[in-house]
Amino acid sequence: AGHLVGSGHDCNTQDYSDCCTEGKQYPTYDCSPPVTSHTPAMLTLNSFQKGGDGGAPSECDNDYHDDSTPVVALSTGWYSDGKRCGHQILISGNGNSVKATVVDECDSMHGCGATWDYQPPCDNNIVDASHAVWDALGVSSSSSEYGMMAVTWRDVDEDEADPNV
């Protein structure tokens, strides 16, 4: 863990994204909490579409993903150098569960530059999810939890993966 200093610049605030503040120190993390059958995390909202607040194409496939597709980015430690790319996770929250495919890293080590749309580094416990994930969990855009909500997640075994996700 360490810190980086923010540089002031506008960023895409479409999905409640924070923009780096000039001179502010942001923590960085090279690991995440251990993954269990009910790993606690904070679910955040991200658009993986071209022109969305996700910025660049997804790390795993160098492509964009429609907001109607259940996809996620995981904090650096959970992303595990891409070892979870293309794999599904089961996210539980708001009394519902949804399977989503890992397509990107929510970078916990870097941020505040153009590559990261001038957003700070992710915390080490983030599942950054598409609109489809939030919809499947039944969280209304008018809910106070929309955009940031406590959830649990786990890896999905190949034999229980949903081929339609």
Side-chain angles (χ1 to χ4, degrees):
H3 287 86
L4 63 82
V5 178
S7 55
H9 200 285
D10 289 338
C11 71
N12 183 335
T13 57
Q14 168 187 346
D15 293 315
Y16 311 101
S17 296
D18 291 328
C19 297
C20 290
T21 302
E22 184 78 38
K24 181 176 178 181
Q25 287 204 353
Y26 295 93
T28 59
Y29 306 92
D30 57 5
C31 59
S32 293
V35 175
T36 66
S37 61
H38 292 89
T39 309
M42 290 306 295
L43 188 71
T44 55
L45 180 62
N46 187 42
S47 175
F48 295 84
Q49 292 186 153
K50 189 171 180 70
D53 63 319
S58 298
E59 284 288 319
C60 293
D61 57 8
N62 199 34
D63 206 354
Y64 294 98
H65 299 272
D66 192 88
D67 285 341
S68 63
T69 306
V71 294
V72 298
L74 297 177
S75 293
T76 296
W78 291 336
Y79 180 73
S80 190
D81 291 323
K83 291 182 180 82
R84 286 196 167 85
C85 279
H87 294 265
Q88 291 178 15
I89 64 170
L90 182 71
I91 303 161
S92 300
N94 197 43
N96 296 302
S97 294
V98 59
K99 290 176 184 168
T101 302
V102 177
V103 297
D104 208 352
E105 174 184 16
C106 194
D107 197 330
S108 304
M109 291 293 299
H110 309 94
C112 295
T115 302
W116 304 274
D117 190 36
Y118 302 99
Q119 296 174 28
C122 278
D123 286 337
N124 67 345
N125 64 338
I126 299 295
V127 175
D128 202 20
S130 65
H131 290 259
V133 170
W134 287 86
D135 291 345
L137 292 175
V139 183
S140 164
S141 60
S142 62
S143 167
S144 63
E145 291 192 305
Y146 194 73
M148 176 81 74
M149 180 176 79
V151 295
T152 60
W153 72 275
R154 67 172 175 84
D155 290 307
V156 171
D157 296 328
E158 283 184 37
D159 62 338
E160 61 176 329
D162 183 343
N164 300 315
V165 173

